[in-house]
Amino acid sequence: MSPDHQLDLLRRLVACPSTTGTPSTVVDLLAAEVTALGGEVTLLPVGPGTAQDSPEYSPPSAVDGPQPPVLLAGFPGDQPELVLFAHTDTEPVHPGWQTDPLDLQVDGARAVGLGVADDKAGVVAVLAAVDRWQRRGRPGWRPRLVLGAGKQGGALGTLPGVAAAAGAQAAVYSHPAESGAGLGHLKVASRGIVQCRVRVPGRTPPPVEERTPVSADPTAGVNAAVRAARLATAVAGWPTGDRVWGVVGLRAGGAPYEVPGAAELDVACWFSAGTVEQVVDELRDRLAAAEERTGWPAAHPLEVTPVGVRANPADCAGSPFAEQVAAVLARRTGAVPGDYRWHSASDIRFPIRCLGVPAVGFGALAGGFYGPGEWVDLPSLEQSIEVLTDVLCAGPA
């Protein structure tokens, strides 16, 4: 695949709308490319309930219409399989774009367009690396491709797609580093993350005068805002370690002079050990211990409900495969990559947790993530393709 073909493919991918949760024909475009490379393509239908029985499932937050399937592809041969995966969906068009987001613009070394950083350059890198692997005589690993929607927790594509790749022995997530370090960062771990909404009951005293809150005796009520504030203070004082807790929202009341009868406290946790279920159970226990165990609060307990992205942690740092990929990166770039462990809910968790195999992530220098003006550095993209090809050709460590 020539550099001109790579750039043309990136241009066509950008021009094909594929906002997360919306219908798209992007997989049709990719199926033709993979078939031309000799891959045997399977399309896996998905929707908001796909893989919901998996402990790695996180419900998508917004789904509008039929969802594009996941493209799965295998190649003939008897070598061990290496999963190469990238996601095809993009952010919506955020305000602030200075150019048409669906019309790839190239300015020197930089290509700008919706989804180039997150993650259509990663898709191009996968296909270009497979083409070069074939031109080198198909040594080492045999690629297994998974290309599907990866945002909103991966439920619309990456999770079911990776789960369908049983039998593979390792995986690479082709995605530019969100840290902005390009090939200087190698993802080897993913932190778990969960946000919970805590419903805090209170009691609004009745007004003495009809429909006049100011006439109520505030000492006759139980102020849910005060109760929630005390809990928030307790959360802020919890020690950190494998668990990092944070209060990210507090809402109560709104009517003038009325004692709030309910409040909501949003608590997030970033964690590197355990599971979402264990973290939620621990939160319930910690909050209960922070409250009075007698009187009105004891009779009106808190309600804790997980909301938002929920992801378990995963780690393959120190594995022979991770060290092998780091060595390839060092040879190609002239610098040993830093292990990147902080990224929360990285898709590398799916091969690690669903398949029980090591998975790493790397990609080109890029920026503008989650906003207008997404860009990728084209020389760095070329370098990332060479690294991915070298990993394919090296075979198992």
Side-chain angles (χ1 to χ4, degrees), residues 322-332 337:
E323 292 179 350
Q324 179 189 41
V325 175
V328 172
L329 278 163
R331 286 197 301 271
R332 278 287 178 183

mmCIF file of all heavy atoms in Angstrom, residues 322-332 337:
data_model
loop_
_atom_site.group_PDB
_atom_site.id
_atom_site.type_symbol
_atom_site.label_atom_id
_atom_site.label_comp_id
_atom_site.label_asym_id
_atom_site.label_seq_id
_atom_site.Cartn_x
_atom_site.Cartn_y
_atom_site.Cartn_z
ATOM 1 N N ALA A 322 4.800 -7.381 25.654
ATOM 2 C CA ALA A 322 4.934 -5.933 25.849
ATOM 3 C C ALA A 322 6.393 -5.507 25.712
ATOM 4 O O ALA A 322 6.689 -4.458 25.119
ATOM 5 C CB ALA A 322 4.385 -5.532 27.209
ATOM 6 N N GLU A 323 7.299 -6.303 26.250
ATOM 7 C CA GLU A 323 8.727 -5.966 26.146
ATOM 8 C C GLU A 323 9.211 -6.071 24.705
ATOM 9 O O GLU A 323 10.048 -5.271 24.259
ATOM 10 C CB GLU A 323 9.527 -6.886 27.066
ATOM 11 C CG GLU A 323 9.248 -6.626 28.555
ATOM 12 C CD GLU A 323 10.008 -7.551 29.474
ATOM 13 O OE1 GLU A 323 10.617 -8.535 28.961
ATOM 14 O OE2 GLU A 323 9.995 -7.313 30.697
ATOM 15 N N GLN A 324 8.679 -7.040 23.972
ATOM 16 C CA GLN A 324 9.047 -7.181 22.562
ATOM 17 C C GLN A 324 8.611 -5.956 21.759
ATOM 18 O O GLN A 324 9.384 -5.415 20.957
ATOM 19 C CB GLN A 324 8.418 -8.446 21.988
ATOM 20 C CG GLN A 324 8.720 -8.675 20.506
ATOM 21 C CD GLN A 324 7.905 -9.814 19.923
ATOM 22 O OE1 GLN A 324 6.721 -9.943 20.225
ATOM 23 N NE2 GLN A 324 8.529 -10.637 19.100
ATOM 24 N N VAL A 325 7.377 -5.515 21.969
ATOM 25 C CA VAL A 325 6.879 -4.348 21.237
ATOM 26 C C VAL A 325 7.667 -3.101 21.625
ATOM 27 O O VAL A 325 8.005 -2.271 20.762
ATOM 28 C CB VAL A 325 5.373 -4.148 21.497
ATOM 29 C CG1 VAL A 325 4.884 -2.865 20.830
ATOM 30 C CG2 VAL A 325 4.581 -5.345 20.982
ATOM 31 N N ALA A 326 7.990 -2.960 22.901
ATOM 32 C CA ALA A 326 8.792 -1.811 23.336
ATOM 33 C C ALA A 326 10.153 -1.810 22.652
ATOM 34 O O ALA A 326 10.657 -0.745 22.261
ATOM 35 C CB ALA A 326 8.954 -1.837 24.856
ATOM 36 N N ALA A 327 10.729 -2.995 22.476
ATOM 37 C CA ALA A 327 12.036 -3.084 21.809
ATOM 38 C C ALA A 327 11.924 -2.682 20.338
ATOM 39 O O ALA A 327 12.809 -2.005 19.797
ATOM 40 C CB ALA A 327 12.584 -4.505 21.933
ATOM 41 N N VAL A 328 10.835 -3.086 19.679
ATOM 42 C CA VAL A 328 10.628 -2.690 18.285
ATOM 43 C C VAL A 328 10.475 -1.171 18.181
ATOM 44 O O VAL A 328 11.059 -0.527 17.300
ATOM 45 C CB VAL A 328 9.399 -3.400 17.698
ATOM 46 C CG1 VAL A 328 9.071 -2.848 16.312
ATOM 47 C CG2 VAL A 328 9.632 -4.910 17.614
ATOM 48 N N LEU A 329 9.686 -0.601 19.084
ATOM 49 C CA LEU A 329 9.523 0.856 19.087
ATOM 50 C C LEU A 329 10.857 1.562 19.291
ATOM 51 O O LEU A 329 11.156 2.564 18.631
ATOM 52 C CB LEU A 329 8.549 1.257 20.191
ATOM 53 C CG LEU A 329 7.052 1.146 19.851
ATOM 54 C CD1 LEU A 329 6.218 1.159 21.115
ATOM 55 C CD2 LEU A 329 6.638 2.286 18.928
ATOM 56 N N ALA A 330 11.668 1.048 20.194
ATOM 57 C CA ALA A 330 12.962 1.668 20.467
ATOM 58 C C ALA A 330 13.866 1.619 19.232
ATOM 59 O O ALA A 330 14.564 2.590 18.922
ATOM 60 C CB ALA A 330 13.633 0.983 21.651
ATOM 61 N N ARG A 331 13.846 0.485 18.520
ATOM 62 C CA ARG A 331 14.679 0.367 17.314
ATOM 63 C C ARG A 331 14.218 1.338 16.231
ATOM 64 O O ARG A 331 15.030 1.959 15.555
ATOM 65 C CB ARG A 331 14.627 -1.068 16.769
ATOM 66 C CG ARG A 331 15.415 -2.073 17.568
ATOM 67 C CD ARG A 331 15.670 -3.343 16.760
ATOM 68 N NE ARG A 331 14.417 -3.987 16.334
ATOM 69 C CZ ARG A 331 13.753 -4.891 17.044
ATOM 70 N NH1 ARG A 331 14.215 -5.252 18.244
ATOM 71 N NH2 ARG A 331 12.669 -5.444 16.574
ATOM 72 N N ARG A 332 12.925 1.490 16.066
ATOM 73 C CA ARG A 332 12.393 2.321 14.995
ATOM 74 C C ARG A 332 12.487 3.817 15.306
ATOM 75 O O ARG A 332 12.670 4.634 14.399
ATOM 76 C CB ARG A 332 10.943 1.946 14.719
ATOM 77 C CG ARG A 332 10.778 0.739 13.823
ATOM 78 C CD ARG A 332 11.125 1.065 12.393
ATOM 79 N NE ARG A 332 11.006 -0.103 11.519
ATOM 80 C CZ ARG A 332 11.312 -0.103 10.231
ATOM 81 N NH1 ARG A 332 11.758 1.008 9.663
ATOM 82 N NH2 ARG A 332 11.188 -1.176 9.500
ATOM 83 N N PRO A 337 10.176 3.662 24.651
ATOM 84 C CA PRO A 337 8.891 4.290 24.982
ATOM 85 C C PRO A 337 8.589 4.204 26.474
ATOM 86 O O PRO A 337 9.007 3.263 27.153
ATOM 87 C CB PRO A 337 7.880 3.471 24.174
ATOM 88 C CG PRO A 337 8.513 2.115 24.073
ATOM 89 C CD PRO A 337 9.993 2.381 23.948
#
